[in-house]
Amino acid sequence: MTRHIRYAAAFCALLLAALLVNAARIQVIQAGAYDDNPANRRQDIARYGQPRGDILVGGRPVTRSEDTGESLRYERTYTHGPLYAPVTGFSSQRYGTTFLEHAADGALSGTDPMLSPFTLWNDLARARNPGGDVVTTLNAAAQQAAFTGLGNRKGAVAAIEPATGRILALVSTPSYDPGALSGNGPAVTRSWLGLNEDPDKPMLNRAVRQTYPPGSTFKVVTAAAALDAGVIKDLDQRTDSPDPYTLPGTRTTLRNATHGCAHASLRLAFEKSCNTVFAKLGVDVGVTDMAATAHAFGFNDTRLRIPYSVAPSTFDTSVDKAQLALSSIGQYNTRATPLQMAMVSAAVANGGQLREPYLVERITTNRGATVSTARARPPRQAMNPSTARHMRELMRNVVEDGTGTHAVIPGATVGGKTGTAQHGVDNSGTPYAWFVSWAQGDHDLEPKVAVAVVVEDASAHRREITGGGVAAPIARAVMEAVLRS
């Protein structure tokens, strides 16, 4: 009898060991596969089972979490959703996350280990920290000024603090309310389909994810390259620039939208935005030095994050001389985001040094304790300091005596450059109106803001002055908002 009991006990022990081994296999070895299984809703229930951290502008949250009482308990809501959509992005139970909601998801959802001093205990207990908060660099007044200025037009605004790289405004229009995508009901699906089918592309972040031909605003880069290369030594020296200018190796002639450009000095050509002078300058500088200067300003950089990715702005390096001439006036294959052109203006304002732009000032716990701050990055030397001084002088002339007079701000020094970018088949599309600028208050020790504005559907009848008439007033409003604050 005792022998049978021993056999039964051994068999039971074997079964118990098999159960333990199987449980370990499921919970340890195959845990990842079960966690990632679409049929497993536990992660989603846990993810939305507590409030998400907030995104802050000027110390105030522009996001909230609403308790729905459902299995996926908390849904995201947005304060002034269309105003901040290019910054926050959306957090959707059905369609995932974008922009800051995505880049800072670990902190906002509470899964980032830096939010907890007891990371090992949280792993063992499967506990989740309260979501942390993301404090942005945005200036609320500048953001509102940019949004109001663009109004119902398609376009974008980017504003940067030159000395630090802090992004002060990032606006794209038309916009949308990210809260319409937050839940998982039929209304969310309808909103998603409607937004994606809208021909105006309201979910496109034109400030950082759309590139445009920069037109005459790129002449800031060309002028800096010419000064750095020694092609131009005196701003008032006559240039060898015929009007019209025959593109090298072709019979195609390039003309100007204004008179008095033939052999004009750099100062006069910049003020009048003479295409012939800058096309010829680009050829004289050469593709190697033009490409090096463009790269120093940030063109062809595929690694820029703010912290979410930015579409790379491009300057084609495999061009012949005729193509180089067009590239040097912001046409052909030259493309730039509004953020990139704000970086160009910021480098001029900052004495030739370019600070990498960033959008997140710090990350805090839900109790306000800082756990992470913006990492300081060394500046990039975009041009010689002496060149930057000349460029500031040229940009001031545009605002004081040229096509940028709509950007004048009493009590401040303002520099700018207008631009009208042709596009479409045979340049048949409505030109894009550009304006890039910087401003320094009379009592400030350094420029406080650099701005780039692009308007897609501006009136084309004023040609080169379109940027000054349409985009410059928007830039002025943004600069005034920063200087007042």
Side-chain angles (χ1 to χ4, degrees):
M1 188 66 166
T2 305
R3 184 181 58 180
H4 294 299
I5 293 174
R6 286 200 301 270
Y7 287 161
F11 183 67
C12 288
L14 182 63
L15 290 176
L16 178 61
L19 287 172
L20 292 174
V21 169
N22 188 54
R25 178 181 65 85
I26 293 173
Q27 296 189 30
V28 178
I29 298 175
Q30 294 185 330
Y34 284 113
D35 283 344
D36 296 335
N37 192 310
N40 181 8
R41 301 192 71 215
R42 292 185 62 186
Q43 285 203 32
D44 286 340
I45 292 172
R47 177 182 179 86
Y48 298 107
Q50 68 176 23
R52 192 169 171 83
D54 286 320
I55 297 172
L56 279 66
V57 175
R60 297 181 177 181
V62 297
T63 58
R64 295 288 186 189
S65 293
E66 180 182 348
D67 190 349
T68 65
E70 300 176 358
S71 59
L72 301 183
R73 185 171 173 180
Y74 287 94
E75 289 183 5
R76 199 60 149 166
T77 61
Y78 296 86
T79 305
H80 308 300
L83 174 62
Y84 293 108
V87 175
T88 63
F90 60 77
S91 176
S92 171
Q93 294 174 352
R94 177 161 293 185
Y95 300 108
T97 53
T98 58
F99 302 138
L100 276 188
E101 292 278 26
H102 180 75
D105 181 66
L108 294 167
S109 64
T111 60
D112 196 314
M114 69 181 176
L115 295 173
S116 172
F118 306 110
T119 305
L120 181 60
W121 169 254
N122 282 1
D123 291 341
L124 293 174
R126 292 186 176 272
R128 183 185 288 261
N129 296 307
D133 293 337
V134 174
V135 181
T136 70
T137 59
L138 293 179
N139 180 304
Q143 184 82 1
Q144 184 64 63
F147 191 74
T148 302
L150 283 170
N152 295 324
R153 292 171 291 195
K154 291 182 187 177
V157 177
I160 299 174
E161 186 176 68
T164 64
R166 297 170 69 246
I167 296 175
L168 304 177
L170 205 64
V171 169
S172 175
T173 56
S175 190
Y176 71 105
D177 183 4
L181 304 175
S182 291
N184 56 13
V188 172
T189 303
R190 289 194 296 271
S191 296
W192 175 261
L193 293 175
L195 288 169
N196 279 280
E197 292 171 358
D198 190 330
D200 288 336
K201 299 181 179 180
M203 287 200 295
L204 173 62
N205 190 338
R206 290 171 164 85
V208 297
R209 293 283 176 86
Q210 177 70 22
T211 60
Y212 302 87
S216 292
T217 59
F218 190 79
K219 292 170 184 174
V220 175
V221 178
T222 303
L227 288 165
D228 271 354
V231 173
I232 296 292
K233 295 182 174 62
D234 184 343
L235 298 184
D236 297 302
Q237 181 181 350
R238 183 177 183 270
T239 61
D240 181 16
S241 307
D243 181 13
Y245 171 57
T246 302
L247 299 180
T250 75
R251 296 181 179 178
T252 302
T253 56
L254 186 66
R255 300 178 183 276
N256 299 290
T258 186
H259 299 290
C261 287
H263 308 293
S265 67
L266 182 61
R267 186 190 304 277
L268 182 61
F270 197 83
E271 185 178 313
K272 288 178 170 288
S273 201
C274 298
N275 286 333
T276 52
V277 174
F278 284 93
K280 177 71 162 46
L281 279 179
V283 174
D284 292 344
V285 171
V287 67
T288 300
D289 286 344
M290 278 296 301
T293 300
H295 179 74
F297 275 107
F299 285 80
N300 299 331
D301 184 357
T302 60
R303 300 170 298 174
L304 181 60
R305 301 289 186 275
I306 63 169
Y308 49 83
S309 63
V310 176
S313 299
T314 56
F315 181 83
D316 197 339
T317 59
S318 57
V319 290
D320 59 27
K321 289 186 177 181
Q323 294 163 342
L324 176 60
L326 295 175
S327 298
S328 300
I329 58 173
Q331 298 289 166
Y332 189 58
N333 287 339
T334 305
R335 307 278 300 188
T337 63
L339 180 63
Q340 172 62 69
M341 295 314 297
M343 291 166 61
V344 169
S345 188
V348 172
N350 197 40
Q353 289 192 334
L354 176 62
R355 292 284 182 176
E356 188 170 306
Y358 65 97
L359 188 55
V360 175
E361 194 75 76
R362 63 184 182 276
I363 294 174
T364 71
T365 66
N366 67 322
R367 296 177 179 272
T370 298
V371 296
S372 174
T373 58
R375 178 170 57 90
R377 296 178 176 87
R380 177 188 300 171
Q381 195 68 40
M383 71 195 96
N384 293 326
S386 59
T387 295
R389 288 195 297 272
H390 289 314
M391 292 309 306
R392 286 198 298 271
E393 183 178 344
L394 293 177
M395 293 181 76
R396 287 199 306 269
N397 291 344
V398 169
V399 173
E400 293 169 3
D401 302 310
T403 57
T405 54
H406 286 94
V408 170
I409 300 174
T413 300
V414 180
K417 181 70 187 79
T418 57
T420 302
Q422 307 292 333
H423 67 101
V425 178
D426 295 327
N427 293 332
S428 59
T430 300
Y432 299 135
W434 277 94
F435 192 71
V436 298
S437 59
W438 53 265
Q440 177 177 351
D442 288 346
H443 301 292
D444 294 328
L445 297 178
E446 59 189 9
K448 292 298 181 182
V449 59
V451 182
V453 178
V454 63
V455 179
E456 292 187 23
D457 47 4
S459 172
H461 72 281
R462 297 183 68 187
R463 293 191 177 182
E464 190 61 44
I465 305 180
T466 299
V470 175
I474 302 172
R476 182 189 64 216
V478 175
M479 292 186 291
E480 284 180 323
V482 173
L483 294 178
R484 284 198 304 266
S485 59

